[in-house]
Amino acid sequence: MDNRRLILVVSLGFVLILLWQAWTKDQSAVNVSPGQTSHTLSGTSAQSSANDLPQSVAPGSAPAANTASAGSVPAAISASTITVKTDVLDLHISTVGGVIDQADLLKYPEEQNKAKPVQLLTDSQGFVYIAQSGLIGAKGDPAPDHYAKFQSSKDHYQLEAGQNELSIPLTWEQDGIKITKTYLLKRGGYAVRIEYKIDNTSGKPWTASQYRQLTRLGTTPGTQLVHTYTGGVYAGDVPGSKDRLAYEKVSFEDMAKTNLSKNLSNGWVAIIQHYFLSAWMPAKPDQVNHFYTLKSFKNNQELYSIGMSSPVETVPAGKTAHMDSTLYVGPKIQANLAPLAQGLNLTIDFGIFTVIADPIFWLLKHFHEWVGNWGWSIVLVTMVIKLFFLWPSAISYRSMAKMRGVTPKMQQLKERFGDDRQRLSQEMMKLYKKEKINPLGGCLPIVIQIPVFISLYWVLAESVELRQAPWIFWIHDLSQKDPFFVLPLLMGISMFIQQRLNPAPMDPMQKKIFAWLPVIFTVFFSFFPAGLVLYWFVNNLLSIAQQYMITRQIEKQMAATANAD
């Protein structure tokens, strides 16, 4: 019995070590803003980045490389910047290619109570993370890729009071082909609609394909408190198959080794990081797109792109056609992501216990709608979880109470048969059978708490809704550690009290180990998010109350039985 308990506690400790390592790895700000964007591409930059254009599209429709993709980028490209500001986004769009090279999330400050917003996309101070899109002409047809120079009538757009949508048109024209690339943004929305209008007045058919890609440096500026996955992801259906490629990660390390090349429909591509993501989605989701990754260089830095390109489309002479896409750049909020594309909400990664984490988050969100505070929501969720496990916990506590009651008899057996471990085990099993004790029953609370604990950890780590969420008094951010270590200390005290209700191990070494566990766990929990420590502390308080009542009840029953005998 003691050995099993020790093994389970050590297992829980191992889980804590793994979570602690993940929590404390690369400690610093979640996303350090690299500063203001540079808007002039030098000859070196442009030339070295010419290999960041896709060279293939969907099956049977690969276009010939256009002049830019062949590497004949102009020696110097002067770009101006168009600023676009809504109630939630502040974007910088370059007139070269219509590249979105800066995206500030106005509702999400980098630091609590500070005005500076999170800058998700940027191209400054040596860090690159941008959204590129363009057209690649087939058979040498002219088309504007993300190196083409566009024209714009304005350099600033702002969503005014009472206005619900912004439209930012950019124009490009060559050899009778006029293309208007329009960005559409809506109030309260993080989705940017990109529409291409192609007017063919060239006198002959024009063919091209559309591509969209996210290009990023393979490192993260600064570091982050919570070590979550940062890299590329994609999803889609395999043509001709009933299987859904629901969600696939492709890290920057994977992109460095080999290029992704798949043909999928109903899909999307994204780059995700802690709390935020950018994602491209086609306007025609059922269309087969070519999914790809590629490496490129800019100013001696290796960049990684993940994107998708559509099949070649033909616009007859004298006709007009449209090619559209949607870019999402913002927080990982399920309500925002699910309607945009199938499986896009999977970018909120709750780990291997997603089946448990999803209902936990659902409960948290509904309690928050009721009480308006994420800390009290965690307390209420803890109570619901405790209520759900009330019956198995009661079985466990009864078993431990009975073990506690027969501890003197067990000690006597140890004194009689201590030198014969086989005989001691046999006699102890007889005692368990006589007293109707399940020696494994006391391990149940630890076993059932581990998956719930891990699930809640990832809910706190991945849910942007809890980012910078205050509770009461000194707890100003439930997703970060307690700045004064009050909650970890209270948790350690509660664990010490709970141990006093359990039967003491007979082995002296195990007794010393268990005596130090509250201290060890307190140290570990000092680095965990305050919300997680709050859950464990409240759970301990509820467990102490339940165990105390059951222990008193069993002790009275055992005393009555002993008196009757």
Side-chain angles (χ1 to χ4, degrees):
M1 169 64 185
D2 287 345
N3 289 334
R4 295 188 182 99
R5 282 181 59 198
L6 182 61
I7 291 171
L8 282 170
V9 171
V10 170
S11 299
L12 177 59
F14 181 69
V15 170
L16 290 176
I17 291 172
L18 293 178
L19 295 181
W20 179 76
Q21 287 177 337
W23 185 257
T24 58
K25 187 174 182 179
D26 298 331
Q27 290 195 24
S28 186
V30 170
N31 201 6
V32 178
S33 179
Q36 297 301 314
T37 304
S38 173
H39 301 295
T40 301
L41 297 177
S42 67
T44 302
S45 299
Q47 186 67 35
S48 62
S49 296
N51 58 357
D52 64 353
L53 285 156
Q55 299 297 308
S56 61
V57 292
S61 58
N66 62 8
T67 56
S69 61
S72 57
V73 179
I77 305 176
S78 177
S80 57
T81 296
I82 303 166
T83 60
V84 181
K85 191 171 184 179
T86 70
D87 56 327
V88 297
L89 285 174
D90 189 351
L91 303 181
H92 287 191
I93 302 174
S94 173
T95 54
V96 172
V99 174
I100 300 177
D101 54 20
Q102 182 173 320
D104 294 352
L105 310 183
L106 302 178
K107 298 294 184 181
Y108 293 89
E110 278 190 358
E111 299 179 29
Q112 205 168 30
N113 302 319
K114 297 292 180 65
K116 189 176 182 180
V118 166
Q119 192 173 88
L120 185 58
L121 301 183
T122 186
D123 185 4
S124 66
Q125 295 187 4
F127 187 76
V128 178
Y129 182 10
I130 56 179
Q132 301 164 317
S133 58
L135 305 176
I136 296 182
K139 304 174 184 178
D141 288 349
D145 55 30
H146 62 263
Y147 289 110
K149 183 65 180 290
F150 283 86
Q151 303 298 321
S152 175
S153 60
K154 295 172 61 177
D155 61 6
H156 179 70
Y157 293 81
Q158 182 160 346
L159 193 70
E160 304 293 346
Q163 189 180 5
N164 292 318
E165 185 174 282
L166 276 180
S167 177
I168 301 93
L170 306 180
T171 58
W172 174 92
E173 190 169 0
Q174 183 178 327
D175 299 338
I177 303 297
K178 181 179 180 181
I179 293 176
T180 304
K181 185 177 185 179
T182 304
Y183 299 76
L184 297 173
L185 296 89
K186 293 185 178 181
R187 179 175 294 277
Y190 294 94
V192 182
R193 179 85 170 183
I194 290 94
E195 298 180 349
Y196 287 95
K197 180 185 176 185
I198 302 105
D199 293 307
N200 183 2
T201 61
S202 66
K204 60 180 181 179
W206 175 88
T207 55
S209 67
Q210 178 188 189
Y211 71 92
R212 330 83 169 152
Q213 64 189 31
L214 299 162
T215 298
R216 192 184 190 279
L217 198 66
T219 59
T220 301
T223 49
Q224 51 190 27
L225 270 173
V226 181
H227 184 71
T228 56
Y229 175 77
T230 297
V233 293
Y234 67 96
D237 294 329
V238 180
S241 172
K242 295 181 180 180
D243 297 332
R244 167 74 178 173
L245 182 61
Y247 183 79
E248 192 77 20
K249 293 180 180 179
V250 50
S251 67
F252 299 122
E253 291 79 7
D254 294 333
M255 297 181 199
K257 295 175 183 177
T258 182
N259 288 334
L260 171 70
S261 180
K262 286 188 178 181
N263 298 310
L264 303 170
S265 62
N266 296 310
W268 46 266
V269 297
I271 290 180
I272 65 173
Q273 64 186 59
H274 191 210
Y275 292 135
F276 307 105
L277 83 155
S278 59
W280 278 109
M281 294 143 285
K284 302 174 182 178
D286 55 341
Q287 185 183 65
V288 176
N289 278 263
H290 181 73
F291 287 57
Y292 64 87
T293 62
L294 51 86
K295 294 176 292 185
S296 59
F297 291 88
K298 179 179 178 180
N299 297 334
N300 297 320
Q301 290 180 310
E302 190 168 51
L303 305 179
Y304 302 94
S305 299
I306 182 169
M308 55 184 173
S309 51
S310 69
V312 165
E313 297 185 36
T314 299
V315 182
K319 298 295 182 179
T320 298
H322 294 269
M323 298 181 183
D324 306 330
S325 294
T326 298
L327 170 71
Y328 182 89
V329 51
K332 292 194 283 188
I333 298 176
Q334 291 192 25
N336 289 355
L337 302 179
L340 289 175
Q342 182 181 358
L344 191 59
N345 59 309
L346 293 173
T347 55
I348 306 172
D349 190 357
F350 287 151
I352 60 173
F353 292 114
T354 297
V355 67
I356 300 174
D358 276 340
I360 287 177
F361 178 74
W362 181 87
L363 270 177
L364 274 174
K365 186 171 66 173
H366 281 75
F367 279 135
H368 181 262
E369 293 173 357
W370 178 37
V371 299
N373 182 287
W374 287 107
W376 292 119
S377 300
I378 291 173
V379 173
L380 292 172
V381 165
T382 308
M383 295 172 69
V384 171
I385 292 173
K386 189 62 183 177
L387 185 64
F388 186 78
F389 290 115
L390 197 63
W391 180 72
S393 295
I395 295 176
S396 172
Y397 296 147
R398 289 191 187 98
S399 176
M400 285 192 287
K402 291 179 180 178
M403 290 284 294
R404 180 185 174 98
V406 299
T407 297
K409 295 181 180 179
M410 293 171 64
Q411 190 63 39
Q412 291 175 5
L413 290 176
K414 185 179 179 181
E415 292 173 358
R416 290 180 59 189
F417 306 107
D419 296 332
D420 188 346
R421 297 188 64 86
Q422 184 176 357
R423 179 68 185 277
L424 176 62
S425 298
Q426 292 173 349
E427 294 297 327
M428 289 183 68
M429 291 306 296
K430 290 180 182 178
L431 179 63
Y432 294 152
K433 187 175 182 179
K434 177 182 177 182
E435 300 292 341
K436 298 180 180 179
I437 296 173
N438 181 2
L440 294 177
C443 305
L444 193 59
I446 298 174
V447 173
I448 62 179
Q449 283 189 75
I450 289 176
V452 175
F453 178 78
I454 296 174
S455 300
L456 186 60
Y457 169 87
W458 285 112
V459 167
L460 290 171
E462 277 288 288
S463 300
V464 68
E465 292 88 345
L466 276 79
R467 179 181 182 265
Q468 299 178 353
W471 180 37
I472 56 173
F473 306 130
W474 72 99
I475 303 295
H476 302 298
D477 189 349
L478 287 162
S479 67
Q480 301 297 317
K481 65 182 181 181
D482 183 337
F484 301 111
F485 307 108
V486 176
L487 276 178
L489 183 60
L490 292 175
M491 187 282 305
I493 294 172
S494 68
M495 189 174 180
F496 175 80
I497 295 172
Q498 193 173 20
Q499 274 197 354
R500 293 298 179 183
L501 296 173
N502 296 336
M506 291 189 297
D507 183 81
M509 180 58 69
Q510 290 188 18
K511 191 172 183 178
K512 290 180 181 179
I513 292 173
F514 276 88
W516 277 98
L517 281 179
V519 178
I520 296 170
F521 275 49
T522 299
V523 173
F524 275 124
F525 274 83
S526 296
F527 297 94
F528 282 155
L532 193 65
V533 185
L534 176 62
Y535 158 76
W536 198 270
F537 172 58
V538 174
N539 181 74
N540 279 358
L541 293 181
L542 296 173
S543 298
I544 289 169
Q546 183 186 12
Q547 189 172 359
Y548 177 77
M549 290 187 292
I550 290 175
T551 300
R552 289 289 301 274
Q553 181 185 10
I554 296 297
E555 286 177 347
K556 288 180 180 178
Q557 291 176 357
M558 295 181 73
T561 301
N563 292 335
D565 293 341

